């Protein structure tokens, strides 16, 4: 994906989710954008997996953020 497309989608996504933001959700949004920008970065993927393993709230936040992102197309 092109960076400008990602940024545009990200801006819409952040606006839509601002009212539901928790620390885990904010981190999940950051992870999503980083993973979308560098899908083949294995070190980044491992860091993300470690973050997911830290708590149920991280996993739940990422599931929610990922679902919303996919709905935006």
């Amino acid at each position: 994906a092109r960076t400008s497309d990602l940024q545009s989608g990200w801006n819409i996504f952040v606006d839509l989710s601002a009212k539901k933001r928790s620390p885990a959700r904010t981190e999940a949004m950051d992870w999503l954008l980083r993973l979308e920008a560098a899908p083949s970065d294995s070190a980044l993927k491992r860091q993300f997996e470690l973050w997911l393993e830290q708590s149920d709230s991280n996993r739940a936040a990422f599931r929610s953020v990922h679902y919303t992102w996919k709905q935006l197309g």
Side-chain angles (χ1 to χ4, degrees):
R2 292 188 342 215
T3 302
S4 61
D5 292 341
L6 286 174
Q7 188 62 46
S8 177
W10 182 250
N11 289 339
I12 293 167
F13 181 57
V14 169
D15 289 345
L16 291 173
S17 65
K19 292 181 181 177
K20 297 181 181 179
R21 197 167 308 146
S22 67
R25 189 171 177 85
T26 299
E27 290 178 19
M29 289 188 300
D30 289 341
W31 276 114
L32 179 71
L33 185 59
R34 291 169 64 193
L35 292 166
E36 288 286 327
S40 60
D41 185 333
S42 59
L44 181 65
K45 286 180 184 178
R46 182 63 192 135
Q47 291 172 350
F48 168 67
E49 290 168 5
L50 291 172
W51 176 79
L52 281 179
E53 292 171 5
Q54 288 178 358
S55 71
D56 290 338
S57 63
N58 287 357
R59 289 185 292 279
F62 190 79
R63 276 193 305 271
S64 174
V65 164
H66 187 257
Y67 174 80
T68 303
W69 180 257
K70 292 299 180 188
Q71 295 303 307
L72 291 172

